[in-house]
């Protein structure tokens, strides 16, 4: 086998350690290396200040070693990946909890390590505790906890103007409600419909919630599904709420005008001597009627009132004594007026149905329901707008819809065209006060309207 003379063997190394003489080639190499290193050693001492310590850079710890060291130091170990649990603090703290999608108060408390007993006592504290069962993503809860991680205070704002505050009292909690009083600024908005009311309202800067309230004011005179046409317009005087110099939403609609197919409807808000608010026309007649035109939010009319209609199932002439409002299954059906339930039952043709009597003159019928609302049974009293059942397709129905009938003295009338009785007007004793309240609001609406129309006509 060939050998490498210059490579130290185990025997050579042993000889060196025992002080035996180095081979000549090794001594020569050592001398040459030493001469080469001398300048670098001298330069190091010349350029290094005498008072500066030189510390070798530590070798990086392996990950497992780092974790072992951290685990040995109390409170320094990292949380497991993906853990949402917040370690309890050692002393009293105050912090803010952010409500995330899917969160409940129970989940938030568990994440923070607050005892379940505190949660139970908090949500059962009257009268405000039960409201904490409904919290929404994006909201915040400000909490204070003591050294034992027990809840001492909680503050929650369900809206921009309302704050619920809870303080520990013994083993329970006492709650208070704080309502901020905003500044009310009167705004004017105007829109012309070319596609839909909601699109026009959004262009005018109105939130959808305000648009719904506008439609509710005029719903007894205008069918906002079937009657709206391109060119219809609205003018609205309303309150915008400000808090701390910031807009926090809208208050009441003070006065409004709606032009539908050339007909002009006007309404003003009036609060009577009992504190009850309602909308009235300029003469003091209520905008509200004794009955709703359509007792359900529908997508279309699938069959109109027609006494000579051919039935789609039996293919023969059968009078259709009501209107079929197509809507998704489960859509709430509401009582079209105050009254008493005469019947809530089921037949083969009608499916689930409800009959309501409104005084001696009027009766309304609601057919093909998927089910009844709670408490709807014979002799139950209902109020206008109260849910009485839900859209379905029971009985002789070809799809989900509400079949709605309107009878006057026992005779069927077309619910869309029958003249509906008015609700109570402004009491005669309050007409003078109504006039002094309504006239300035209508005058302000007209002034803003004229300014807006003049600007658009330039």
């Amino acid at each position: 086998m060939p050998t490498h003379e210059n490579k130290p063997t185990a025997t050579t190394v042993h000889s060196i350690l025992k002080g035996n003489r180095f081979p000549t080639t090794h001594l020569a190499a050592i001398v040459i290396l030493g001469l080469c290193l001398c300048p670098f050693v001298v330069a190091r001492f010349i350029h290094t200040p005498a008072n500066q310590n030189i510390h070798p850079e530590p070798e990086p710890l392996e990950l497992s070693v780092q974790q072992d060291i951290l685990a040995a130091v109390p409170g320094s170990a990292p949380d497991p990946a993906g853990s949402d649990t917040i370690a309890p603090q050692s002393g009293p703290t105050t912090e803010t909890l952010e409500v995330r999608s899917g969160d409940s108060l129970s989940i938030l408390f568990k994440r923070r390590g607050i005892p379940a007993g505190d949660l139970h006592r908090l949500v059962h504290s009257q009268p405000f505790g039960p409201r904490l069962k409904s919290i929404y993503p994006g909201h915040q809860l400000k909490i204070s906890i003591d050294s034992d991680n027990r809840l001492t205070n909680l503050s929650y704002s369900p809206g921009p103007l309302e704050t619920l505050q809870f303080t520990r009292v013994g083993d329970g909690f006492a709650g208070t409600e704080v309502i901020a009083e905003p500044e009310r600024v009167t705004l004017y908005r105007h829109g012309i419909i070319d596609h839909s009311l909601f699109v026009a309202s959004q262009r005018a800067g109105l939130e959808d919630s305000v648009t719904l309230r506008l439609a509710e004011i005029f719903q007894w005179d205008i069918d906002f599904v079937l009657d709206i046409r391109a060119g219809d317009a609205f003018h609205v005087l309303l309150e915008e709420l400000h808090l701390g110099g910031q807009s926090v939403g809208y208050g009441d609609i003070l006065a409004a005008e709606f032009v539908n197919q050339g007909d002009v409807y006007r309404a003003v808000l009036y609060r009577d001597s009992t504190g009850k608010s309602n909308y009235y026309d300029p003469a003091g007649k209520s905008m509200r009627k004794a009955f709703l035109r359509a007792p359900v939010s529908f997508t279309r009319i699938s069959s109109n009132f027609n006494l000579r209609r051919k039935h789609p199932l039996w293919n023969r002439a059968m009078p259709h004594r009501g209107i079929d409002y197509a809507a998704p299954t489960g859509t709430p059906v509401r009582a079209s007026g105050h009254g008493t339930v005469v019947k809530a039952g089921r037949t083969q043709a009608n499916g689930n149905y409800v009959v309501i009597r409104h005084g001696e003159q009027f009766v309304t019928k609601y057919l093909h329901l998927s089910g009844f609302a709670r408490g709807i049974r014979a002799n139950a009293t209902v109020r206008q707008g109260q849910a009485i059942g839900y859209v379905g397709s029971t009985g002789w129905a070809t799809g989900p819809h509400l079949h709605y009938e309107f009878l006057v003295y026992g005779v069927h009338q077309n619910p869309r065209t029958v003249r509906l009785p008015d609700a109570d007007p402004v009491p005669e004793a309050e007409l003078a006060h109504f006039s002094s309240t309504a006239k300035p609001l209508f005058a302000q609406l007209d002034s803003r309207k004229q300014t807006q129309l003049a600007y658009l006509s330039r």
Side-chain angles (χ1 to χ4, degrees):
M1 294 286 290
T3 61
H4 300 278
E5 294 181 0
N6 293 333
K7 181 177 180 182
T9 64
T11 304
T12 304
V13 174
H14 180 72
S15 298
I16 293 172
L17 292 175
K18 293 183 68 68
N20 292 341
R21 196 164 49 171
F22 290 100
T24 304
T25 55
H26 288 186
L27 289 173
I30 291 171
V31 170
I32 294 171
L33 180 61
L35 291 174
C36 292
L37 291 175
C38 282
F40 295 99
V41 174
V42 172
R44 176 67 174 172
F45 280 99
I46 292 174
H47 294 288
T48 302
N51 61 347
Q52 178 176 325
N53 295 324
I54 301 174
H55 299 284
E57 184 174 344
E59 292 290 331
L61 293 170
E62 294 293 334
L63 180 60
S64 60
V65 177
Q66 290 178 346
Q67 289 174 337
D68 290 341
I69 293 174
L70 289 173
V73 180
S76 62
D79 285 340
S83 174
D84 279 336
T85 303
I86 302 173
Q89 303 296 318
S90 59
T93 62
T94 298
E95 58 193 80
T96 299
L97 303 181
E98 183 83 18
V99 181
R100 304 190 301 221
S101 179
D103 277 350
S104 65
L105 198 60
S106 175
I107 292 173
L108 287 172
F109 276 28
K110 184 177 181 180
R111 186 184 299 149
R112 186 57 190 81
I114 299 172
D118 283 358
L119 171 66
H120 177 80
R121 287 185 285 270
L122 179 66
V123 298
H124 287 87
S125 62
Q126 296 295 332
F128 304 112
R131 294 181 59 184
L132 294 175
K133 295 177 182 178
S134 298
I135 57 176
Y136 301 95
H139 286 190
Q140 295 180 335
L141 294 94
K142 296 179 180 179
I143 65 168
S144 296
I145 57 177
D146 63 16
S147 57
D148 294 325
N149 220 44
R150 299 185 312 161
L151 182 70
T152 57
N153 290 280
L154 181 143
S155 176
Y156 173 63
S157 296
L161 302 177
E162 180 186 22
T163 301
L164 301 177
Q165 297 178 341
F166 299 87
T167 302
R168 178 181 286 275
V169 178
D171 288 333
F173 291 90
T176 58
E177 181 184 42
V178 179
I179 303 295
E181 183 56 42
E183 178 188 3
R184 297 175 184 268
V185 179
T186 301
L187 298 181
Y188 167 80
R189 292 290 182 264
H190 162 65
I192 298 176
I193 298 172
D194 55 11
H195 182 266
S196 73
L197 174 60
F198 279 97
V199 171
S201 297
Q202 290 165 1
R203 284 201 303 261
L206 292 178
E207 295 179 351
D208 288 350
S209 59
V210 177
T211 305
L212 286 171
R213 286 158 53 193
L214 177 65
E216 287 172 356
I217 293 171
F218 296 102
Q219 67 177 318
W220 287 271
D221 296 300
I222 303 170
D223 187 324
F224 283 91
V225 175
L226 303 174
D227 293 344
I228 297 299
R229 299 289 185 274
D232 288 354
F234 61 83
H235 306 269
V236 183
L237 203 64
L238 74 159
E239 297 174 328
E240 185 177 48
L241 307 179
H242 287 220
L243 195 63
Q246 300 292 323
S247 174
V248 294
Y250 293 99
D252 292 324
I253 294 176
L254 302 175
E257 176 180 298
F258 206 102
V259 182
N260 175 233
Q261 301 185 49
D263 295 326
V264 179
Y265 302 91
R266 310 191 88 195
V268 65
L269 179 66
Y270 175 67
R271 187 169 287 105
D272 63 24
S273 58
T274 66
K276 185 178 179 180
S277 298
N278 211 335
Y279 287 93
Y280 300 88
D281 71 6
K285 293 177 60 178
S286 178
M287 297 300 296
R288 182 185 296 272
K289 301 296 187 288
F291 295 93
L292 300 174
R293 278 288 176 200
V296 66
S297 296
F298 62 97
T299 56
R300 62 187 177 89
I301 289 180
S302 55
S303 186
N304 268 302
F305 183 86
N306 184 352
L307 298 181
R308 291 185 293 274
R309 182 199 65 157
K310 180 178 288 189
H311 196 281
L313 290 179
W314 312 120
N315 197 31
R316 59 186 176 88
M318 294 180 65
H320 192 248
R321 296 187 173 91
I323 290 183
D324 289 349
Y325 292 106
T329 298
T331 302
V333 174
R334 307 189 180 279
S336 62
H338 302 340
T340 302
V341 175
V342 176
K343 180 81 173 180
R346 183 183 180 95
T347 66
Q348 184 177 3
N350 298 333
N352 296 318
Y353 72 98
V354 175
V355 179
I356 301 176
R357 177 174 295 281
H358 313 269
E360 296 298 322
Q361 188 175 358
F362 304 100
V363 170
T364 55
K365 296 183 179 181
Y366 313 78
L367 279 57
H368 308 308
L369 306 175
S370 61
F372 306 106
R374 180 180 298 180
I376 298 304
R377 56 184 179 276
N379 299 319
T381 299
V382 295
R383 300 191 63 79
Q384 187 180 69
Q386 177 182 336
I388 58 172
Y390 306 94
V391 169
S393 54
T394 57
W396 293 348
T398 56
H401 70 277
L402 168 70
H403 175 88
Y404 174 58
E405 299 181 7
F406 194 97
L407 292 81
V408 181
Y409 290 121
V411 178
H412 285 86
Q413 303 288 335
N414 187 337
R416 291 201 63 227
T417 58
V418 64
R419 179 177 175 79
L420 298 177
D422 295 327
D424 294 335
V426 173
E428 188 173 350
E430 295 191 34
L431 280 175
H433 184 253
F434 166 78
S435 181
S436 66
T437 301
K439 282 183 178 180
L441 290 173
F442 279 128
Q444 187 176 357
L445 180 67
D446 288 338
S447 176
R448 300 279 191 100
K449 174 183 171 183
Q450 294 304 320
T451 301
Q452 176 73 19
L453 294 179
Y455 173 78
L456 292 176
S457 64
R458 290 179 183 177

